[in-house]
Amino acid sequence: MSQSLFGFRGKDFCILAADASAQASIVVIKDNLDRIFEADDHFAFGCVGDPGDDTTYSDLIVRNIQLQKFRNGYTSTSHANANFMRKLLHDGLRDHPYNVNIMIGAVDLPSDMNDTTTERTELMSSSVLIEGSNPSPHLYYLDYLGTLVEVPFAAHGYCAYLLYGILDEMWKKDMSVDEAKRLLSTCIKMIQKRFVMQQPKFICKIITKDGIELIEPLNN
Amino acid sequence: MSASVAPPLPGRHSYKVEGTNINFAHGTTCLAFRCNGFAIAAADSRSTQGETIASQAVTKLIKINDYIISTMAGSAADCQYWSRYVGSESQLFELRNKRRMTVAGASKFYSNILIQYKGRDLSVGSMIVGYDDFGADLFYIDNDGQRVRGDIFACGSGSTFALSVLDQEFRPDLTEDEAVELARKSIYHATHRDSGTGGQINVIVINEKGTNWVVKQDNFELFHKYINDPSPYPLQ
């Protein structure tokens, strides 16, 4: 709950941010932990929750998404991947729950822009045709119970109490990258000013049609 | 009456076995850090059972193979058993694959076991320290299933005291001698302030030549070396 994870959607990109501290008991044991996993070229997700569960679940997802891509010869849509993640959480819910909350950021490329086309796709590509001609960004909120919602912005944990006000107020449709970086900076500053736990470092990633990149927040 | 002035210390795992009067408490200080070309593992040697000191001569630095050491905090039984298990599997790996297990590999193997037993009262907090083809490496793993790579870790009830000393002088470019001295000093200060920590101080250096046990020293010998002004603790 004390870990911070939030994200929002821009014009043709998504941004995810998560604090970079790892805790054991009262001690900070690592201050550069990357909680934002890159499962595919245009599909990333942040994962916070019970220590142990977070990495177990995330590794499982990353490997399975890679496996599916390898077997099929094409990338699944972010909608398919998100629902796969939801299914895995909900399948285990009553039996071996993963206590993790997830934020997925992805960009779907129209079929003619997808560079993963192989010989095999040509035979079976009809199922992965994506409508439209522009890359479409998607942000999904997914909680430990398996609630999956597509949203323009969202936050998990205590930071949600601090950030939803800012995001409701300042998030705009079709934001540019620079505007988004400024919003990112505002959010991180808010957490660092008002949240009791110290979270000196955040790892922020942007998902665009060109892939996933680390970004720094932009000060006003 | 107890003279408790602080909340319970982290890492001082204490749990009661349901339906019995057995109450285990485990105090320890282990630390490990990584510099250019070598890594250090250090620990005290005290074993406690509740209020009682059960032993002052426990080996908390367990050899997994010639190049990997695991440190032991939490339940001695769990740590010893599973470290030995990882050790034997790493030997089998070596025979099968004609190369040594990496530190990342050994720690992942260990961590996978702990994840399987998650929620079933295993009590393990361990640093896996070693040297492999990629250089010196270090992981922290625990019974929650957490596994993180890093440069400095400490574990056990005295870990906060050790870490506070270690953080002051740690640099990645320490020489082996400086690093050993820093490790010894850090553990000493934990023995000084934490009742669960004491006995002998052990320090192991791991480099491309393998593991080398460099210090095995009673902490009492070190009082006048490290406590500059003994006046707060007058002999009467």
Side-chain angles (χ1 to χ4, degrees):
Chain A
M1 284 295 276
S2 62
Q3 300 153 336
S4 298
L5 172 62
F6 65 95
F8 47 88
R9 202 171 62 197
K11 187 170 187 293
D12 51 4
F13 59 89
C14 281
I15 284 180
L16 295 176
D19 80 275
S21 320
Q23 251 183 298
S25 176
I26 62 157
V27 182
V28 176
I29 54 168
K30 194 174 167 77
D31 58 9
N32 58 350
L33 180 71
D34 186 0
R35 292 180 207 287
I36 301 175
F37 295 82
E38 296 168 24
D40 206 344
D41 297 343
H42 311 281
F43 187 90
F45 63 92
C47 182
V48 292
D50 273 9
D53 275 358
D54 51 2
T55 43
T56 313
Y57 176 80
S58 301
D59 282 350
L60 186 66
I61 294 297
V62 171
R63 306 301 159 190
N64 270 287
I65 287 176
Q66 289 292 319
L67 178 65
Q68 278 172 22
K69 182 180 169 184
F70 181 68
R71 279 187 175 152
N72 299 332
Y74 58 82
T75 335
S76 302
T77 60
S78 59
H79 184 73
N81 282 338
N83 274 95
F84 169 69
M85 291 176 70
R86 195 206 81 86
K87 184 176 186 299
L88 227 67
L89 274 179
H90 194 269
D91 279 349
L93 186 62
R94 303 269 139 68
D95 192 27
H96 49 91
Y98 294 107
N99 286 315
V100 288
N101 294 316
I102 313 284
M103 189 87 63
I104 302 167
V107 171
D108 280 338
L109 301 183
S111 303
D112 58 334
M113 281 176 72
N114 209 326
D115 52 3
T116 55
T117 314
T118 62
E119 282 177 32
R120 214 163 154 209
T121 11
E122 282 161 26
L123 298 172
M124 45 201 300
S125 63
S126 60
S127 61
V128 289
L129 273 176
I130 295 168
E131 300 286 321
S133 55
N134 292 318
S136 55
H138 298 280
L139 184 81
Y140 293 93
Y141 168 102
L142 172 58
D143 74 8
Y144 74 104
L145 296 165
T147 316
L148 179 66
V149 203
E150 193 181 346
V151 285
F153 52 79
H156 275 301
Y158 285 118
C159 81
Y161 292 97
L162 296 167
L163 294 187
Y164 271 123
I166 295 176
L167 290 166
D168 284 332
E169 171 77 14
M170 297 175 73
W171 183 84
K172 293 199 299 282
K173 203 165 175 260
D174 295 338
M175 272 192 297
S176 70
V177 174
D178 276 359
E179 286 173 308
K181 282 181 178 175
R182 274 193 279 274
L183 177 55
L184 187 62
S185 160
T186 312
C187 290
I188 292 171
K189 278 184 184 156
M190 185 63 198
I191 294 169
Q192 290 173 337
K193 183 178 163 67
R194 288 288 180 183
F195 190 41
V196 286
M197 307 290 237
Q198 62 145 343
Q199 294 178 341
K201 190 165 186 290
F202 276 74
I203 285 185
C204 315
K205 289 187 184 175
I206 185 167
I207 302 102
T208 63
K209 66 174 174 29
D210 303 318
I212 303 166
E213 272 178 75
L214 271 173
I215 51 165
E216 292 294 327
L218 201 65
N219 290 322
N220 294 313
Chain B
M1 198 188 135
S2 72
S4 177
V5 291
L9 288 162
R12 179 109 192 192
H13 304 284
S14 169
Y15 73 94
K16 195 168 164 59
V17 178
E18 282 305 313
T20 70
N21 288 319
I22 307 169
N23 203 348
F24 295 104
H26 305 281
T28 284
T29 303
C30 295
L31 65 84
F33 57 94
R34 191 164 67 115
C35 296
N36 300 336
F38 66 94
I40 298 267
D44 71 310
S45 71
R46 178 174 291 182
S47 163
T48 52
Q49 284 176 2
E51 302 294 298
T52 315
I53 297 171
S55 170
Q56 289 273 58
V58 175
T59 310
K60 295 184 186 177
L61 302 173
I62 304 167
K63 207 167 164 177
I64 284 183
N65 62 34
D66 288 345
Y67 286 81
I68 303 176
I69 292 285
S70 98
T71 68
M72 167 172 137
S75 156
D78 293 339
C79 288
Q80 278 181 347
Y81 180 87
W82 288 113
S83 294
R84 297 270 299 187
Y85 184 80
V86 175
S88 72
E89 285 296 326
S90 90
Q91 282 194 31
L92 287 168
F93 179 96
E94 215 168 313
L95 291 166
R96 283 197 272 256
N97 299 287
K98 294 177 184 164
R99 65 182 180 86
R100 285 195 307 276
M101 217 181 212
T102 58
V103 182
S107 65
K108 185 80 180 175
F109 183 77
Y110 201 157
S111 168
N112 282 340
I113 295 166
L114 298 180
I115 287 167
Q116 282 199 310
Y117 283 90
K118 189 172 163 137
R120 301 183 66 183
D121 276 346
L122 235 58
S123 171
V124 174
S126 179
M127 274 94 68
I128 309 296
V129 203
Y131 195 95
D132 57 30
D133 296 345
F134 306 98
D137 211 351
L138 167 58
F139 286 85
Y140 167 86
I141 58 173
D142 67 22
N143 49 303
D144 289 337
Q146 203 169 27
R147 170 178 172 270
V148 286
R149 178 184 258 145
D151 293 331
I152 310 172
F153 290 121
C155 203
S157 57
S159 62
T160 48
F161 306 110
L163 216 46
S164 66
V165 178
L166 187 54
D167 275 341
Q168 302 310 310
E169 288 176 41
F170 172 81
R171 281 177 289 115
D173 60 345
L174 288 173
T175 64
E176 282 195 14
D177 290 343
E178 288 169 335
V180 168
E181 179 53 24
L182 180 57
R184 170 163 48 192
K185 183 160 83 175
S186 303
I187 296 285
Y188 175 77
H189 281 279
T191 65
H192 191 67
R193 284 286 171 187
D194 177 37
S195 65
T197 304
Q200 286 169 324
I201 293 168
N202 291 303
V203 182
I204 288 182
V205 180
I206 306 140
N207 55 24
E208 79 281 353
K209 295 192 203 87
T211 57
N212 186 15
W213 206 303
V214 289
V215 179
K216 196 178 175 81
Q217 193 171 24
D218 192 308
N219 77 77
F220 288 127
E221 293 172 25
L222 299 167
F223 179 87
H224 289 286
K225 181 170 176 183
Y226 292 126
I227 303 300
N228 300 324
D229 179 11
S231 60
Y233 319 101
L235 293 170
Q236 302 208 332

